[in-house]
Amino acid sequence: MTIPETMRAVICYGPGDYRMETRPVPRPKPGEVLVKVLATGVCAGDVKCFAGAPMFWGDESRPAYCESDVIPGHEFVGEVVELGEGAGEKYELSVGDHAVSEQIVPCGKCRFCQSGDYWMCQPHDIYGFHRETQGAWAEYMVYPAKALNYKLPETLSPRHGVFVEPLACSIHAVNRGNIGLNDVVVISGCGALGLGMVAAARLKNPAKLVALDLNPHRLELAKKCGADIVLNPAETDVVGAIRDMTEGYGCDVYIEATGAGKSVEQGLLAIRKLGTFVEFSVFRDLVTVDWTIIGDSKELDIHGAHLSPRTYPTAIRMLEQGLLPIDEILTHFLPLEDFRKGIDIAADGSQSLKVVLEPGRMA
């Protein structure tokens, strides 16, 4: 494959100021992998970043949004087109392979990396937010030497491969719930990530798996992902229904995936004493709740969930095995030039689940 000298890329200059430009194609240094981007997703974090909402990445000296002169995009799949010295052997990759990379490129030196908690790396270089880790909204990108890369099976469509990153995040959130075989599990929110959580929780085989959403179509997809019961909070007293199905106790595990403050309050009321509450969402606004419920009333275990440590292989296997209705989850495919349209569709959310940009697709 002949690699061009230049490429089209979306560049962030600040909140609301993203521009399509021509940039040099990066060349891989030792240990690095150059890929041609086949597909790249638009996620809630991208929407939040574009809007300039506060975002904390572990370093208060950095701006509240992604740095300027950065190519966004942290959900992606690429075709390997060039390997830096030693990269092929390190990652067992060859030119022509399809490969993904974990969204964080850990430094390997900080306290968290040294203890094995690499996804909480203090510098926190995530693709598409910092200059050190340019993202995937471009025709080509480099996986740095410290990146965590995975080859995709030949049987997995590149379009489906773009969902590895979101699904891996969903799996981590489910793992944080410590689900038991006798548990009643509630997942609030059936967007792309919530549907991934439903599919992952199904593999834990809980006694009862409940999905909540305001959108009837998303609830139907939740059933396809393995939910036993689906409830619409606009039509049902969800807290009452959950208590009714648990002899008045409440659910054992509640995973919050809506990004709405009301869902947090709902979960605290619906969960039983000594239950486990997992918070994953990206919130636009501050959320206030009655912390007495967490402590004095119920003594809850509150777990956060961030990124996708050690879950990429499981996500790849789930997609390869067809455990999700992926063709119904990937709702929009747009050329790179339509990135602003993709942001708007994802921000609205009423007609989309996962919006995907395809740099090789012409407008």
Side-chain angles (χ1 to χ4, degrees):
M1 176 183 294
T2 301
I3 302 172
E5 295 294 324
T6 61
M7 66 179 184
R8 294 170 301 134
V10 178
I11 309 298
C12 167
Y13 285 95
D17 187 8
Y18 286 24
R19 311 172 197 172
M20 176 71 75
E21 296 185 355
T22 298
R23 289 290 178 98
V25 173
R27 305 312 291 258
K29 299 172 183 176
E32 295 183 341
V33 179
L34 176 67
V35 302
K36 180 179 181 180
V37 179
L38 302 177
T40 176
V42 181
C43 98
D46 296 314
V47 173
K48 182 179 179 182
C49 183
F50 181 79
M55 186 174 292
F56 177 68
W57 294 110
D59 183 352
E60 294 175 328
S61 68
R62 284 177 162 167
Y65 51 90
C66 69
E67 297 172 352
S68 63
D69 200 28
V70 170
I71 301 171
H74 59 278
E75 304 173 355
F76 50 80
V77 57
E79 178 184 351
V80 177
V81 293
E82 189 175 355
L83 292 159
E85 181 182 355
E89 295 80 3
K90 179 180 180 180
Y91 297 112
E92 298 183 349
L93 290 173
S94 301
V95 171
D97 288 342
H98 294 165
V100 294
S101 185
E102 287 198 32
Q103 68 280 79
I104 190 167
V105 180
C107 72
K109 298 178 180 179
C110 72
R111 170 181 179 178
F112 301 107
C113 287
Q114 289 292 306
S115 66
D117 302 323
Y118 69 89
W119 68 102
M120 300 305 295
C121 174
Q122 190 71 5
H124 224 70
D125 286 327
I126 294 179
Y127 287 107
F129 292 100
H130 304 145
R131 297 186 190 95
E132 294 86 349
T133 44
Q134 298 286 338
W137 290 12
E139 292 183 281
Y140 293 86
M141 69 180 296
V142 161
Y143 300 169
K146 293 182 180 180
L148 305 171
N149 305 328
Y150 304 87
K151 177 182 175 180
L152 295 183
E154 295 180 1
T155 54
L156 184 62
S157 163
R159 277 190 165 187
H160 295 177
V162 77
F163 200 65
V164 169
E165 191 274 351
L167 181 55
C169 289
S170 299
I171 295 167
H172 177 52
V174 168
N175 285 341
R176 292 285 283 159
N178 297 320
I179 295 170
L181 295 175
N182 293 319
D183 285 348
V184 173
V185 178
V186 175
I187 295 174
S188 181
C190 295
L193 286 161
L195 291 172
M197 293 174 195
V198 173
R202 181 73 276 156
L203 297 179
K204 301 287 187 178
N205 201 28
K208 196 169 294 181
L209 180 56
V210 183
L212 313 177
D213 202 275
L214 297 171
N215 186 312
H217 175 63
R218 293 185 178 191
L219 292 177
E220 288 302 312
L221 289 179
K223 292 179 182 177
K224 294 182 180 181
C225 289
D228 299 308
I229 298 170
V230 297
L231 299 173
N232 186 331
E235 301 173 353
T236 304
D237 173 7
V238 168
V239 174
I242 292 170
R243 288 177 177 169
D244 286 345
M245 68 180 73
T246 56
E247 299 179 323
Y249 288 101
C251 60
D252 302 282
V253 180
Y254 185 95
I255 302 178
E256 204 292 303
T258 69
K262 191 168 183 63
S263 173
V264 178
E265 181 182 2
Q266 174 182 267
L268 293 178
L269 295 174
I271 200 168
R272 67 166 170 82
K273 297 176 182 179
L274 303 177
T276 299
F277 187 110
V278 180
E279 183 52 68
F280 177 85
S281 296
V282 176
F283 291 93
R284 294 177 183 269
D285 303 300
L286 295 177
V287 177
T288 301
V289 297
D290 181 2
W291 278 74
T292 304
I293 298 174
I294 298 168
D296 187 56
S297 298
K298 293 188 176 182
E299 195 174 322
L300 300 177
D301 287 332
I302 305 295
H303 294 174
H306 178 61
L307 301 187
S308 49
R310 294 181 280 272
T311 58
Y312 265 56
T314 302
I316 292 170
R317 185 174 69 251
M318 288 178 65
L319 289 169
E320 187 181 22
Q321 293 175 348
L323 299 184
L324 298 89
I326 191 64
D327 289 320
E328 296 180 73
I329 293 173
L330 305 177
T331 53
H332 292 77
F333 293 90
L334 303 172
L336 188 63
E337 286 80 2
D338 286 347
F339 69 90
R340 180 58 192 272
K341 180 180 178 182
I343 292 172
D344 291 342
I345 292 172
D348 175 75
S350 62
Q351 302 299 319
S352 69
L353 281 167
K354 175 54 60 181
V355 178
V356 179
L357 303 176
E358 294 181 306
R361 178 179 178 179
M362 302 307 296

